[in-house]
Amino acid sequence: QMQLVESGGGLVQAGGSLRLSCKASGRASGITAMAWYRQSPGNQRELVAAITSSGITRYGDSVQGRFTISQNSARNMVYLQMNRLKPEDTDVYFCNARTPWGQNWGQGTQVTVSS
């Protein structure tokens, strides 16, 4: 089974930056896209950013221009560079990996942005 492990979350002041990392391991072959989602209590999980195996990216409107997703496909790694963070970005961030046979999720990493 594929495993996804996120890292890099933490506490940061508004306007600061964090870089999240996610590594896929185990049965990690056949990944067609990786993505970051976020969810806080009472809210639905929302797409933050996604990247296909060919490098095509998509961003949620709320992070467009501030966050950048990138990948190292050879290492099954995906990253999320988060700049100019806002308190509204406070959430648990989840790594997602899609394959033709389904999708997988990490356990999430907490990002807290203070005013």
Side-chain angles (χ1 to χ4, degrees), residues 32-37 46-53 55-60 63-64 67-71 78-80 94 96-98:
T32 58
M34 299 190 75
W36 291 95
Y37 289 75
E46 67 171 334
L47 175 69
V48 177
I51 185 167
T52 70
S53 59
I56 301 171
T57 59
R58 178 190 178 192
Y59 296 93
V63 307
Q64 181 72 43
F67 293 7
T68 302
I69 190 170
S70 61
Q71 67 186 350
V78 65
Y79 309 92
L80 185 68
F94 297 89
N96 171 272
R98 297 173 62 184

Side-chain angles (χ1 to χ4, degrees), residues 19-25 28 31 34 36 51-55 69-80:
R19 185 174 186 257
L20 305 183
S21 299
C22 172
K23 181 175 179 59
S25 60
I31 294 173
M34 299 190 75
W36 291 95
I51 185 167
T52 70
S53 59
S54 63
I69 190 170
S70 61
Q71 67 186 350
N72 184 332
S73 58
R75 296 183 179 274
N76 290 321
M77 297 281 295
V78 65
Y79 309 92
L80 185 68

